[in-house]
Amino acid sequence: MWGGRFGDGPGAIMQEINASIDFDKRLYREDIRGSKAHAKMLAAQNIITEADRDAILTGLDQVEKEIEAGQMTFDPALEDIHMHVESRLREIAGAAGARLHTGRSRNDQVATDFRLWTRDASDRMIAAYDALLSVILNQAERYADTVMPGFTHLQTAQPVTLGHHLMAYYEMFARDRSRLQDCRARMNECPLGAAALAGTSFPLDRDMTARELGFDRPMANSLDAVSARDFAMELLSAMSIAAVHLSRLADEIVLWATAPFKFITLSDAFSTGSSIMPQKRNPDAAELVRAKVGRIVGAQNGLMIVMKGLPLAYSKDMQEDKEPVFKAVDDFALCLAAMTGMLEDLRPNATAMAAAAGGGFSTATDLADWLVRVLKMPFRDAHHVTGTIVKIAEDRGVDLSDLSLEDMQGVHEAITADIFTVLSVDASVASRTCFGGTAPDNVRKAVHAARKAHK
Ligand code: ARG
């Protein structure tokens, strides 16, 4: 490859630390795509002949078929996917193949291949979000009236609906999806034509290659084109945030499936049994979604640290950019699929949820709000009066609605029987009609608005 000035080949350790073919063979399609665009442009600019171009294009088709058929032997001596494709092309197409690398370096080549790969990966993940979001909307609509406890500090706070709870995740996941769209838009510029670092003296048509590969434009600065990896860091960052959100829902699924909670039953498809305890139905898929965030954030951290302090332009350090992205994308895609499946199969236990929603004096705020609304009491005073009533119920081990009117009037004489109308969980959720609140009609409206916005 660079035999000209070298007497000996690399030592065995050098070869081992240098070769990237084990992982970058995954870029073969992108590499061939980029090479075809480059060859067409070279011919259009009269830098190579049309006959050479045609020999390169048919040769590259053959290389692609061979790789797909598992016929390519990957050899660490050829370092990476770029050298594998090119050297096989030269065997097939001879001198024409040897002209392909005119005005090009592996530095702009790998940057182009990797951008194409991450762009496709982003598109796949965005499509996976569409599936996940539509499952959430269906389930949120279905369970718009299903009450459950809302928590703060994981202590019963106020009743909410399962539909509302799911729609909270809809909002988070929709932002995660749009973060992926944002990085996709920013990454969509073409490094090809930057050559090694300084650009090239050949009259390349960089607009043509950019267009041919579906990029919005060629990158404006050759040094930046070969040195930038922020597109990969940004994708990993977006996936990290998104994975954190998935893990929060996964954790709730784990919690809800426990015997003390009994809020949901997981489907067989997303549970496992125990080899010793026959009663067990374990939420392994949810646990693994919860755990994968560690690997994804780890990949994000890893690449940031590789890039930190690297001088311009290309350094071999940057070869270490691919594995974290490949692994994180694989993990993340699996998490999205598992979460989509778990939510689709999710069956709530409405009775257990409603019972829990009514516990913990969850409608105490409704009682205080009644005092403010009906008796025109300042909220701080209402808070104090309600606290006294809660204490009585707590001491007797009963719910607020089990107290008598006389008990209430013993705390504040102006209280009337009307107060009991606000103490049920259904009344509580139905009253939360202010925009963004948990009232079932709000949830249905939010679902419809989301469906409309998405179309
Ligand atoms: N395999 C290399 C990488 O992934 C390709 C670029 C090599 N360029 C070079 N000048 N050695 O980064």
Side-chain angles (χ1 to χ4, degrees), residues 132-421:
L132 173 59
L133 290 171
S134 98
V135 166
I136 295 186
L137 291 181
N138 293 341
Q139 294 291 59
E141 185 171 47
R142 192 160 172 190
Y143 301 116
D145 298 284
T146 307
V147 287
M148 62 176 275
F151 300 98
T152 60
H153 315 267
L154 202 49
Q155 302 287 316
T156 302
Q158 294 175 355
V160 294
T161 63
L162 177 57
H164 194 57
H165 196 104
L166 291 173
M167 284 303 283
Y169 283 104
Y170 177 89
E171 295 290 330
M172 286 180 247
F173 294 172
R175 288 194 295 274
D176 294 337
R177 180 184 181 282
S178 81
R179 257 184 286 274
L180 291 173
Q181 286 178 311
D182 291 348
C183 19
R184 195 232 189 257
R186 234 183 320 275
M187 77 171 66
N188 202 28
E189 294 189 336
C190 189
L192 206 57
L197 73 161
T200 173
S201 57
F202 291 101
L204 303 189
D205 181 351
R206 294 194 57 207
D207 289 302
M208 178 180 169
T209 36
R211 220 179 312 117
E212 184 78 20
L213 294 169
F215 288 112
D216 295 330
R217 62 193 79 85
M219 290 183 77
N221 180 292
S222 63
L223 289 166
D224 176 47
V226 295
S227 308
R229 291 295 182 271
D230 52 301
F231 66 97
M233 291 188 280
E234 188 175 3
L235 184 65
L236 286 170
S237 303
M239 282 193 286
S240 294
I241 296 172
V244 167
H245 289 162
L246 289 175
S247 88
R248 294 182 73 173
L249 178 52
D251 182 72
E252 298 204 295
I253 291 174
V254 171
L255 187 69
W256 293 351
T258 58
F261 266 80
K262 262 203 214 75
F263 280 7
I264 56 169
T265 311
L266 287 174
S267 69
D268 289 354
F270 289 98
S271 315
T272 59
S274 154
S275 56
I276 172 169
M277 297 166 283
Q279 86 282 11
K280 278 303 214 58
R281 175 194 266 295
N282 292 326
D284 296 39
E287 292 167 279
L288 288 163
V289 170
R290 187 173 60 182
K292 294 273 188 225
V293 62
R295 295 161 55 116
I296 294 166
V297 174
Q300 190 264 0
N301 260 269
L303 182 57
M304 302 279 269
I305 293 166
V306 166
M307 294 308 296
K308 178 207 161 291
L310 277 191
L312 302 187
Y314 179 86
S315 298
K316 200 58 176 264
D317 308 50
M318 287 159 71
Q319 177 165 284
E320 301 280 306
D321 58 357
K322 289 165 214 71
E323 278 177 296
V325 173
F326 291 160
K327 281 191 179 141
V329 166
D330 290 345
D331 284 335
F332 189 68
L334 201 50
C335 288
L336 284 177
M339 187 53 85
T340 304
M342 281 190 286
L343 288 179
E344 205 161 26
D345 287 4
L346 186 103
R347 291 295 166 262
N349 176 351
T351 318
M353 280 188 171
F361 311 109
S362 66
T363 54
T365 314
D366 299 87
L367 195 154
D369 287 350
W370 185 92
L371 297 172
V372 170
R373 200 170 49 248
V374 181
L375 302 187
K376 311 294 174 210
M377 202 181 275
F379 181 77
R380 279 293 151 226
D381 298 345
H383 187 286
H384 187 81
V385 168
T386 306
T388 311
I389 295 173
V390 167
K391 176 92 173 61
I392 295 169
E394 192 174 41
D395 288 346
R396 289 193 206 155
V398 298
D399 288 335
L400 290 175
S401 55
D402 296 325
L403 295 176
S404 67
L405 182 58
E406 290 69 40
D407 292 331
M408 302 264 191
Q409 286 171 339
V411 181
H412 195 282
E413 71 287 348
I415 292 176
T416 67
D418 181 64
I419 201 165
F420 289 97
T421 62

Side-chain angles (χ1 to χ4, degrees), residues 20 24 80 82 106-107 110 314 316 319 322:
S20 55
D24 68 16
D80 56 27
H82 324 294
R106 277 189 295 162
N107 298 349
V110 71
Y314 179 86
K316 200 58 176 264
Q319 177 165 284
K322 289 165 214 71

Side-chain angles (χ1 to χ4, degrees), residues 35-54 56-57 99-100 102 203-205 208-209:
S35 288
K36 283 182 171 175
H38 186 64
K40 286 183 203 165
M41 181 277 297
L42 289 177
Q45 295 297 97
N46 292 315
I47 300 166
I48 62 172
T49 64
E50 296 193 341
D52 281 344
R53 174 199 62 198
D54 294 343
I56 291 170
L57 294 181
R99 291 188 210 283
L100 171 62
T102 312
L204 303 189
D205 181 351
M208 178 180 169
T209 36

